[in-house]
Amino acid sequence: MTEYGRGGGSEPWHPGDPLYGDQGWTAHQTQQAQVPYSGDPQQHYAHPQEPQYQQQYEGQYPQQYPEQGYDQQVQHPHQPMAQQPMAPQPLYDGSGGQGWDTGQGQYAAAAVQVDAYAVADPYAGADPYAQQAVAAYPGEAPDLYTTAEAYPPPTPPGLRHLEPEPVEEAPVEEPEEDFLAEGGRSDDGDEPPSRGRRAGGRAKGGKGGKQKKRSGAACLIAAVVIVGVVGGGGYYGYTYLKDRFGAAEDFAGEGSGETVEVEIPKNAGLGQMGRILKQAGVVASAQAFVDAANANPRGKSIQPGVYPLKKKMSAAAAVAVMIDPTKLNVLTVTEGMRNSKVYEAIDKKLGKPDGTTKDIAQREAKNLGLPAWAGNNPKIVDPLEGFLFPMRYDLSKDSTPESLLRQMVKNAADKYLEMGIEGKAKELGLENPLQVVTVASLVNAEGKNHDDFRKMSEVVYNRLKKTNDVTNQKIEFDSTYNYVKNQSEINFNLKEAQRFDNPYNTHFVKGLPPGPIGNPGADAVTATLNPDHGGWMFFVSVDGDKTTFTKTYDEHLKLVAEFQERQAQKKNGG
């Protein structure tokens, strides 16, 4: 059976029913939840719940399910009861049968009792086929198809997948731009044949002409912007490609007459060097310098320092100057170098008269930063001797003799403090740290390598011992005699040296000289602090290259005889 309760027995839905399949879809058949009249042709009755029904039967029937909000309803003997917005209910079908059990038998029984009362039919005399307004059931959703804000009715199933026909719109004619005529006319006053009457009419109206003028100006501005963007991009693209793949910009020749001093810092790479040179105006581009340095086999051996270079040099010419150590504007104090030689080198590098730096050193010695333990012996010839630390010093246009001397003294004092010579002086049997520097200057003058330095310092310490009865505590180093004489001779008269009275001449006096005889390097100082401890007392270099050390005087005499014989052969041309 159906849920509409059509009368006795079950009956299929009528084909004309709007809910039967997909047939009969029209705009007026889309009404919501209309109830058919049982047993008659398709009629639609609504059962408004009017007040008289509620009053007439008020009190005769107890309200059902008040907690659920259902209102008391009555049913006309010939009209099916209005449906409630609830789960399917058992319905009376007129044949004594009962539908499915939904568990709401009370509500079904109340519906059956309504037939037992004779109730006046409020619908008597009314047109049964007239379209009646549909009353909303309690809790029912509003009809979305009959109000002003209603949704459009659903499309019939047969037309649901059809694409709507496109609506053709009248084409909008745009005014053509004509930069040769104003207001849509050519220079001779005739209408352009392609424009027609409409274009001419708009031009005459004035407004169209203004719009066309503005449109033409906008196109012109847009064209200028596009050209600018394309041109700018092209320029930068050309510049990038030129820098990336083109030859680097470079000068030609050895440069102009103007000379500039360029300082290359430590750990600088070729790229940084090139940028420094370009900024100074020496080379045209950093890349040109890098290319030239890479092309030169010695290009990567460029040392940091100050270089006197000319402006607008070719990159290759600049590299050629910078790989030549003699062109580097530096002053190098070598290990064991005497102060007298250092003073001469400073005067020469700075273009000062001879003796300028020596006079400053003697006059300003106490103001150049010497350690407190230095220069206390009144017999010292030069208080700065041993304190002009051996290394390379970069010169600049601001360099002066005094600034260089101060820098050298500071480097020496810092190095000696780092090596801890003050604390080790007593351990070595020396009187003060100055004597440590003095021993280091002796071994640096006599030896050739670190092994020589360690053995020679052992010789000095053994000869300084009071138990030394072989040399009677005399050091007897030829270098001390040469220092007094300001020379560097190997062959000199030994007997004359032994008679020459000078506190620095260890062939004449016992013990150490008053101060250093040169500027020892770090290697010599380290060896002095760590002697060999081999018991050596003598040494001699027979061939002028290798130094041989002995412990006894007899062994030493044999080596001396061999040395003298070799020297005689050289003198005679052998």
Side-chain angles (χ1 to χ4, degrees), residues 449-484:
N449 52 56
H450 185 72
D451 185 63
D452 286 354
F453 295 159
R454 294 191 64 201
K455 291 180 178 179
M456 286 180 181
S457 62
E458 173 70 7
V459 170
V460 173
Y461 294 139
N462 288 333
R463 290 188 180 185
L464 288 177
K465 292 180 179 179
K466 295 181 179 180
T467 57
N468 174 20
D469 56 0
V470 178
T471 62
N472 297 320
Q473 299 180 4
K474 290 183 179 180
I475 303 298
E476 293 183 346
F477 276 19
D478 294 347
S479 56
T480 59
Y481 179 77
N482 285 330
Y483 178 80
V484 173

Side-chain angles (χ1 to χ4, degrees), residues 263-339:
E263 183 175 1
I264 301 299
K266 294 181 180 179
N267 302 321
L270 294 179
Q272 183 179 357
M273 293 181 188
R275 290 189 292 272
I276 294 174
L277 294 175
K278 182 181 184 301
Q279 185 176 4
V282 176
V283 297
S285 65
Q287 188 61 47
F289 176 81
V290 173
D291 295 341
N294 288 327
N296 193 308
R298 298 173 54 194
K300 295 184 179 180
S301 64
I302 297 176
Q303 301 178 11
V306 179
Y307 293 88
L309 300 168
K310 293 182 178 181
K311 285 192 173 183
K312 296 184 178 181
M313 300 178 68
S314 68
V319 171
V321 172
M322 298 175 72
I323 62 176
D324 186 357
T326 62
K327 301 295 179 63
L328 187 63
N329 194 15
V330 297
L331 187 151
T332 302
V333 178
T334 60
E335 295 183 356
M337 192 174 184
R338 298 174 187 167
N339 278 9

Side-chain angles (χ1 to χ4, degrees), residues 270-406:
L270 294 179
Q272 183 179 357
M273 293 181 188
R275 290 189 292 272
I276 294 174
L277 294 175
K278 182 181 184 301
Q279 185 176 4
V282 176
V283 297
S285 65
Q287 188 61 47
F289 176 81
V290 173
D291 295 341
N294 288 327
N296 193 308
R298 298 173 54 194
K300 295 184 179 180
S301 64
I302 297 176
Q303 301 178 11
V306 179
Y307 293 88
L309 300 168
K310 293 182 178 181
K311 285 192 173 183
K312 296 184 178 181
M313 300 178 68
S314 68
V319 171
V321 172
M322 298 175 72
I323 62 176
D324 186 357
T326 62
K327 301 295 179 63
L328 187 63
N329 194 15
V330 297
L331 187 151
T332 302
V333 178
T334 60
E335 295 183 356
M337 192 174 184
R338 298 174 187 167
N339 278 9
S340 59
K341 298 296 184 183
V342 176
Y343 300 150
E344 292 175 3
I346 293 176
D347 289 343
K348 184 177 181 180
K349 282 290 184 180
L350 297 183
K352 303 295 183 179
D354 294 344
T356 300
T357 304
K358 182 179 180 179
D359 292 341
I360 294 175
Q362 292 178 346
R363 184 174 64 251
E364 302 291 336
K366 295 182 179 181
N367 302 322
L368 297 177
L370 287 171
W373 46 263
N376 295 327
N377 193 328
K379 296 181 179 180
I380 292 178
V381 175
D382 186 352
L384 298 183
E385 194 76 70
F387 292 91
L388 305 181
F389 194 75
M391 62 178 298
R392 196 188 76 181
Y393 295 89
D394 297 327
L395 307 179
S396 67
K397 60 182 180 180
D398 299 327
S399 297
T400 63
E402 185 176 356
S403 67
L404 286 174
L405 292 175
R406 189 180 300 276

Side-chain angles (χ1 to χ4, degrees), residues 26-67:
T26 61
H28 71 279
Q29 290 175 332
T30 58
Q31 300 296 332
Q32 179 180 3
Q34 295 177 348
V35 182
Y37 183 74
S38 174
D40 292 329
Q42 189 73 25
Q43 297 180 5
H44 303 277
Y45 287 93
H47 184 76
Q49 298 180 12
E50 297 181 359
Q52 63 268 20
Y53 279 90
Q54 297 178 5
Q55 296 174 1
Q56 182 176 359
Y57 296 98
E58 184 176 0
Q60 298 181 17
Y61 302 97
Q63 281 191 338
Q64 303 285 330
Y65 311 106
E67 70 279 1

